[in-house]
């Protein structure tokens, strides 16, 4: 059995409901969720002239291989109405594979661990809540260590009582 860490997020529509729906769809089609972080409100990254995002980290147990998991997640995004109109633009839902076990993959369609995650506080903060001691297989630092040295100073605020 494999374990994948995912980050889900969005900033269009009813974002809390979209995260709930994404969690349900992931669990139904990809495998059980073992851990779910709190929901974090985060500033937009890469293209800052848009609404804040809600983000959440998930630990997934899955029998799907990485490429099959990616295809399943992309289908969930599409079924939920995701349109890829501009890089880093606003979206209903975004589902990224951050880690898949400790595998290192670099293909045309998939790079794992997720590129530049160490530079993104909005990824590291929720991930640290559920996988703080997970070691990045290329950087040889835990998620907690990466969060401590993250150069991104964007605000990342835990939403009280939200899951």
């Amino acid at each position: 059995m494999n374990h994948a860490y995912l980050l889900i997020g969005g900033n269009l529509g009813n974002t809390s409901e979209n995260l709930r729906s994404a969690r349900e769809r992931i669990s139904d089609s990809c495998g059980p969720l073992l851990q779910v972080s709190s929901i974090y409100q985060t500033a937009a990254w890469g293209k800052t002239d848009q609404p804040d995002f809600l983000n959440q980290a998930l630990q997934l147990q899955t029998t799907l291989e990485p490429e099959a998991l990616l295809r399943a997640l992309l289908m969930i995004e599409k079924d939920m109405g995701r349109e890829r109109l501009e890089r880093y633009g606003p979206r209903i839902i975004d589902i990224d594979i951050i880690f898949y076990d400790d595998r290192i993959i670099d293909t045309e369609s998939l790079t794992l661990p997720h590129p530049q995650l160490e530079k993104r506080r909005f990824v590291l903060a929720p991930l640290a809540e559920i996988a703080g001691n997970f070691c990045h297989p290329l950087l040889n630092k835990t998620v907690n260590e990466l969060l401590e040295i993250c150069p991104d100073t964007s605000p990342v605020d835990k939403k009280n009582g939200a899951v």
Side-chain angles (χ1 to χ4, degrees):
M1 197 60 65
N2 302 297
H3 293 128
Y5 289 98
L6 311 177
L7 187 78
I8 62 174
N11 68 342
L12 293 178
N14 183 336
T15 49
S16 293
E17 175 58 25
N18 292 341
L19 293 182
R20 187 207 57 74
S21 179
R23 287 191 310 269
E24 184 176 289
R25 291 167 189 243
I26 291 166
S27 181
D28 288 346
S29 62
C30 302
L33 299 179
L34 302 180
Q35 293 188 86
V36 176
S37 79
S38 300
I39 293 175
Y40 289 77
Q41 184 171 340
T42 64
W45 190 94
K47 184 179 182 309
T48 57
D49 61 336
Q50 60 182 311
D52 285 353
F53 279 76
L54 292 183
N55 288 299
Q56 187 172 44
L58 313 174
Q59 182 188 21
L60 170 70
Q61 184 176 359
T62 187
T63 58
L64 297 175
E65 287 298 312
E67 293 279 351
L69 176 60
L70 176 62
R71 285 191 301 274
L73 297 175
L74 290 172
M75 185 58 66
I76 291 168
E77 287 182 348
K78 183 179 177 190
D79 289 348
M80 290 183 66
R82 167 88 189 258
E83 295 178 321
R84 295 176 183 274
L85 303 175
E86 64 179 310
R87 185 174 173 91
Y88 303 126
R91 58 207 84 148
I92 288 173
I93 193 68
D94 186 36
I95 307 170
D96 289 323
I97 306 171
I98 306 302
F99 295 115
Y100 185 101
D101 292 329
D102 60 355
R103 292 200 202 176
I104 299 167
I105 298 172
D106 191 5
T107 66
E108 192 171 309
S109 60
L110 182 61
T111 302
L112 293 175
H114 194 284
Q116 300 188 36
L117 73 96
E118 71 278 5
K119 298 177 182 173
R120 299 173 179 181
R121 184 169 299 282
F122 72 90
V123 174
L124 294 169
L127 191 58
E129 184 181 327
I130 64 169
N133 292 322
F134 187 87
C135 190
H136 190 298
L138 288 171
L139 302 177
N140 293 315
K141 293 190 184 321
T142 67
V143 171
N144 284 334
E145 290 170 331
L146 292 172
L147 181 57
E148 278 185 33
I149 62 172
C150 181
D152 179 10
T153 59
S154 301
V156 176
D157 299 313
K158 187 188 294 190
K159 304 284 282 178
N160 288 333
V163 172

